[in-house]
Amino acid sequence: MSGNAEALVLTQYPFPRVLFPLVTDSKTKIKIACSVDNTYSLPLLVMLNSLVATLHESCRAVIYLLQRNPCRLTLDEIGSFAEVHSLSLAGPHVDSLPSDRRLPPEASAPLFLHELLPSDTDRVIFLDADMLVVDDISPLWTQELAGRAFAAVADPAIPRLRSPRGVILPDGHSSPDDASYFNAGVMLIDLATWREKRMMDNSLAYLSEHGDKAEFLHQEALNAVAWDDWVPLEQRWNMPMTAGRWFAQTSAAALSDPAIIHYSGRIKPWCTTHGGRFFEAYSDALESVRERHDVSLFETFDRSQMFGLYDRTLRSVFYPLEKFLWNRGLL
């Protein structure tokens, strides 16, 4: 391991023969990092199941799970279909992770990937747990970064750095008015360049100065320090679940070919139904996980129908008010 990372490989499993081809050294290893607290065990399991199920047969996923309190049950369930390594968030790392009432410390763990992952790891795809992978991600793995530290998708909810809930920019900041703001839920990271360009140090410095006002913690910090130093990805690699609705206009080309669907926001498809076109896909994936995995993972989830009822019946009417409140940080 590199740096001061305290890491423990809890388990490593071969793929079950009945569902997956045997692991061979000829397969391309695609390294995936995720960081969640234990309340997100279910969506993490759904997302990783979908990733492995759609991955090209010439590749295999190697999962690195970053947590403060690793759950052996979750690791066992992931290990039944993929190679998984547990990396402990402990000591100075977790002490310096920002958090607020909405986001736990694990949310900002991507800042430390260059220190926590094995030293021979050149690049990694970081993925949020509230996603569904619906197409092979191996083309993302081979994306050219052209000397940049990472690649990401522009955020449709916060299209510009200077948009509401974007980045706190001091007077005289050199970014142009039309500089794009990216969503950090999907990032392809070149770890050597990330280290060389001091992404962690610069982001933590930003959060030290503005953390009490930063809306989305490490995502805002990375946008502030790397606003002109990231590679834009096609929207298909981070498609919002609202895409295609009148208040989330998306090109027909992007809608016809999503690769990763992001169920961001408060309406989570493992808790309640919603009105978007991507709910059925998640529902099917969730049912598959229910059939194949330990149901005790599901017992802690709030299945309130309030947000789903709003989304299906009233949201189209009240969305302008919702956006007004969201832009002011009131939602």
Side-chain angles (χ1 to χ4, degrees):
M1 305 300 296
S2 61
N4 298 317
E6 178 184 350
L8 173 66
V9 178
L10 291 185
T11 188
Q12 178 173 324
Y13 300 86
F15 293 131
R17 224 179 261 229
V18 66
L19 294 176
F20 300 95
L22 291 174
V23 175
T24 66
D25 291 338
S26 65
K27 287 183 177 290
T28 299
K29 294 181 181 179
I30 296 182
K31 298 180 180 181
I32 307 294
C34 305
S35 180
V36 298
D37 66 15
N38 288 323
T39 64
Y40 265 57
S41 291
L42 170 58
L44 176 68
L45 194 58
V46 173
M47 186 273 287
L48 292 177
N49 262 283
S50 67
L51 185 154
V52 170
T54 54
L55 193 59
H56 192 275
E57 62 181 10
S58 65
C59 303
R60 67 182 178 97
V62 179
I63 313 299
Y64 294 94
L65 184 57
L66 287 63
Q67 290 185 297
R68 288 176 295 167
N69 302 298
C71 172
R72 186 57 191 246
L73 176 59
T74 303
L75 290 164
D76 285 347
E77 295 297 333
I78 296 171
S80 69
F81 61 87
E83 178 183 336
V84 59
H85 301 263
S86 177
L87 305 182
S88 174
L89 289 176
H93 292 108
V94 73
D95 292 342
S96 57
L97 285 173
S99 63
D100 62 19
R101 61 183 175 81
R102 296 170 294 112
L103 299 170
E106 283 91 345
S108 295
L111 295 177
F112 300 107
L113 286 172
H114 66 294
E115 293 193 350
L116 292 170
L117 293 176
S119 57
D120 62 351
T121 306
D122 297 324
R123 57 170 49 193
V124 66
I125 298 174
F126 177 83
L127 295 175
D128 278 351
D130 56 347
M131 294 182 162
L132 188 68
V133 181
V134 295
D135 199 6
D136 173 30
I137 65 165
S138 59
L140 173 59
W141 180 249
T142 58
Q143 167 75 39
E144 175 59 51
L145 292 178
R148 306 290 173 89
F150 63 99
V153 175
D155 194 317
I158 309 174
R160 306 294 176 208
L161 289 184
R162 301 173 190 271
S163 296
R165 308 188 79 174
V167 172
I168 300 169
L169 296 172
D171 293 340
H173 192 277
S174 58
S175 63
D177 290 344
D178 63 349
S180 295
Y181 178 104
F182 60 83
N183 184 282
V186 176
M187 291 189 292
L188 172 66
I189 300 173
D190 181 292
L191 293 167
T193 308
W194 185 276
R195 182 183 298 107
E196 176 188 340
K197 296 190 175 183
R198 299 172 58 84
M199 291 297 172
M200 177 189 74
D201 295 334
N202 294 335
S203 296
L204 291 177
Y206 176 88
L207 289 169
S208 177
E209 183 175 356
H210 302 293
D212 59 333
K213 297 179 181 177
E215 290 283 354
F216 296 104
L217 301 181
H218 76 289
Q219 176 174 283
E220 178 174 328
L222 284 171
N223 270 280
V225 304
W227 64 270
D228 61 346
D229 198 21
W230 57 283
V231 175
L233 295 171
E234 296 177 3
Q235 175 134 62
R236 70 186 302 262
W237 295 115
N238 192 344
M239 179 78 69
M241 75 169 193
T242 54
R245 303 174 77 173
W246 75 262
F247 51 79
Q249 293 297 315
T250 310
S251 71
L255 277 175
S256 68
D257 189 31
I260 301 175
I261 301 164
H262 194 173
Y263 299 84
S264 56
R266 293 192 178 187
I267 300 172
K268 300 300 187 184
W270 59 90
C271 296
T272 187
T273 57
H274 65 75
R277 67 175 63 202
F278 298 123
F279 174 75
E280 185 174 350
Y282 198 95
S283 182
D284 290 344
L286 180 59
E287 185 58 32
S288 175
V289 166
R290 288 183 192 276
E291 293 173 354
R292 294 170 50 199
H293 295 277
D294 193 321
V295 295
S296 63
L297 286 170
F298 301 83
E299 293 174 353
T300 61
F301 292 94
D302 175 13
R303 294 182 176 81
S304 168
Q305 297 296 309
M306 179 180 66
F307 289 121
L309 180 64
Y310 165 73
D311 187 63
R312 296 191 307 275
T313 61
L314 300 174
R315 197 174 192 189
S316 292
V317 175
F318 288 100
Y319 185 77
L321 175 60
E322 177 186 327
K323 185 175 181 180
F324 175 85
L325 296 173
W326 188 88
N327 283 341
R328 284 153 182 78
L330 301 175
L331 283 178

